[in-house]
């Protein structure tokens, strides 16, 4: 097959996602840029089927459209966002971090990316523990699954979905890193893949934020209003 006769450099130039698939297979693409895929696979004992399966797995999209997500219950939207969080933390960020760590030249990105990852993961866990948990509580109250909804809401009296939404809309965690990538003038294959992966992650974060800002928050704020009105009409706590 033609793909196996391409050099690693040519293959990754065609689609940078293949660099991630090669890494998954144990091939450091930046160490073999001028060898053919066939040569590298032969040396490592990799079968064609293994390689093509890896390319397919990493090249396919896991993304739902806005139209699709807009039709699903709020519970499914939250689970989709949590799944995206899982991919960010367990797959994409570790891969990018390793690419940067293995890069031979010390630069600002190598210094600041670990701090970004730490802060980003902390933000995700806080979002799941606070925001998602609160919305799930609202859903349970709406379904009549909470024995004391007044007390449950009172415990979250200081939480404001509108304020969280406003703060969330102003966030731009990747601004500094984006500037470093845009300003850099490096042409080697390793750096090109790092830059492409960061840009792809930036696009995914933008899409993720769009789902939260245009689907999750509007529906959650509307749900909160309905639930609070329902609870306010109940007999007051003694």
């Amino acid at each position: 097959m033609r793909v196996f006769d391409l050099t690693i450099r040519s293959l990754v130039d065609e689609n940078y996602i293949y660099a991630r698939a090669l890494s998954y297979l144990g091939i450091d693409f930046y160490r073999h840029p001028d060898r053919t895929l066939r040569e590298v696979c032969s040396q490592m004992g990799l079968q064609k089927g293994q390689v093509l399966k890896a390319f397919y797995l990493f090249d396919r999209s896991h993304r739902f459209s806005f139209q699709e997500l807009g039709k699903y219950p709020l519970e499914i939207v939250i689970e989709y966002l949590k799944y995206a969080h899982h991919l960010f933390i367990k797959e994409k960020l570790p891969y990018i971090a390793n690419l940067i760590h293995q890069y031979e030249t010390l630069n600002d990105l190598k210094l600041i990316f670990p701090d970004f990852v730490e802060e980003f993961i902390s933000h995700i866990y806080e979002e799941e523990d606070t925001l998602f948990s609160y919305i799930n509580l609202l859903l349970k109250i709406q379904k009549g699954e909470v024995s004391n909804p007044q007390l449950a809401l009172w415990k979250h009296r200081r939480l404001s979905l509108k304020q969280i939404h406003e703060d969330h809309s102003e966030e731009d965690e990747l601004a500094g890193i984006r500037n470093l990538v845009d300003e850099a003038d490096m042409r080697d294959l390793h750096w090109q893949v790092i830059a492409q992966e960061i840009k792809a992650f930036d696009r995914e974060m933008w899409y993720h934020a769009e789902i939260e800002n245009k689907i999750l928050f509007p529906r959650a704020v509307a749900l909160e209003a309905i639930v609070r009105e329902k609870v306010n009409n109940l007999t007051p706590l003694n």
Side-chain angles (χ1 to χ4, degrees):
M1 297 180 66
R2 172 183 172 274
V3 66
F4 288 93
D5 293 322
L6 294 175
T7 64
I8 301 299
R9 184 189 306 278
S10 298
L11 186 67
V12 173
D13 279 343
E14 282 193 4
N15 190 341
Y16 74 94
I17 291 295
Y18 293 152
R20 197 184 308 171
L22 292 171
S23 178
Y24 168 78
L25 292 167
I27 300 172
D28 293 330
F29 67 92
Y30 46 86
R31 299 190 191 280
H32 314 280
D34 299 315
R35 299 184 65 189
T36 67
L37 179 60
R38 189 184 307 280
E39 290 172 342
V40 176
C41 289
S42 177
Q43 179 183 338
M44 299 189 65
L46 294 170
Q47 302 298 316
K48 288 183 179 180
Q50 290 176 267
V51 177
L52 294 175
K53 182 178 179 181
F55 285 176
Y56 167 75
L57 288 174
F58 283 89
D59 197 24
R60 67 181 181 175
S61 172
H62 297 280
R63 179 182 294 180
F64 285 100
S65 68
F66 280 109
Q67 290 76 12
E68 289 176 304
L69 280 173
K71 296 176 183 177
Y72 285 122
L74 203 49
E75 295 94 329
I76 301 300
V77 176
I78 290 175
E79 288 305 310
Y80 178 78
L81 291 170
K82 288 171 68 175
Y83 172 68
H85 287 173
H86 175 82
L87 291 181
F88 291 160
I89 293 174
K90 299 298 183 182
E91 295 183 15
K92 299 182 180 185
L93 285 176
Y95 173 65
I96 297 173
N98 184 61
L99 283 177
I100 295 171
H101 177 72
Q102 295 296 332
Y103 192 66
E104 294 180 355
T105 303
L106 180 65
N107 55 27
D108 290 341
L109 184 59
K110 209 165 189 175
L111 296 175
I112 70 173
F113 195 76
D115 290 336
F116 161 75
V117 171
E118 183 177 348
E119 292 176 7
F120 182 77
I121 292 175
S122 176
H123 169 79
I124 281 180
Y125 286 148
E126 181 181 0
E127 182 173 83
E128 292 188 357
D129 292 341
T130 303
L131 175 64
F132 291 177
S133 294
Y134 177 59
I135 296 174
N136 279 323
L137 171 65
L138 294 174
L139 289 165
K140 288 181 180 179
I141 293 175
Q142 184 187 42
K143 296 175 183 177
E145 298 175 356
V146 177
S147 58
N148 194 333
Q150 293 161 301
L151 178 60
L153 282 182
W154 185 82
K155 292 179 179 179
H156 293 82
R157 63 192 180 281
R158 294 187 177 87
L159 195 153
S160 168
L161 285 181
K162 289 185 179 180
Q163 185 60 52
I164 294 175
H165 187 193
E166 290 177 8
D167 294 341
H168 189 271
S169 299
E170 297 174 358
E171 291 174 353
D172 188 2
E173 297 97 332
L174 265 179
I177 292 174
R178 186 186 305 116
N179 291 336
L180 287 177
V181 171
D182 290 341
E183 293 171 3
D185 185 22
M186 302 181 188
R187 303 300 179 188
D188 62 284
L189 182 65
H190 193 161
W191 176 259
Q192 288 174 14
V193 173
I194 290 173
Q196 290 288 349
E197 285 289 348
I198 289 176
K199 289 177 180 178
F201 183 69
D202 194 10
R203 290 192 297 271
E204 289 180 36
M205 284 186 60
W206 172 84
Y207 181 72
H208 189 81
E210 286 287 282
I211 293 172
E212 293 184 335
N213 291 330
K214 295 183 178 179
I215 297 178
L216 178 73
F217 278 110
R219 292 173 63 179
V221 169
L223 171 67
E224 182 184 47
I226 293 171
V227 169
R228 288 193 177 277
E229 181 179 3
K230 175 182 178 181
V231 171
N232 288 338
N233 289 331
L234 297 175
T235 302
L237 288 170
N238 295 324

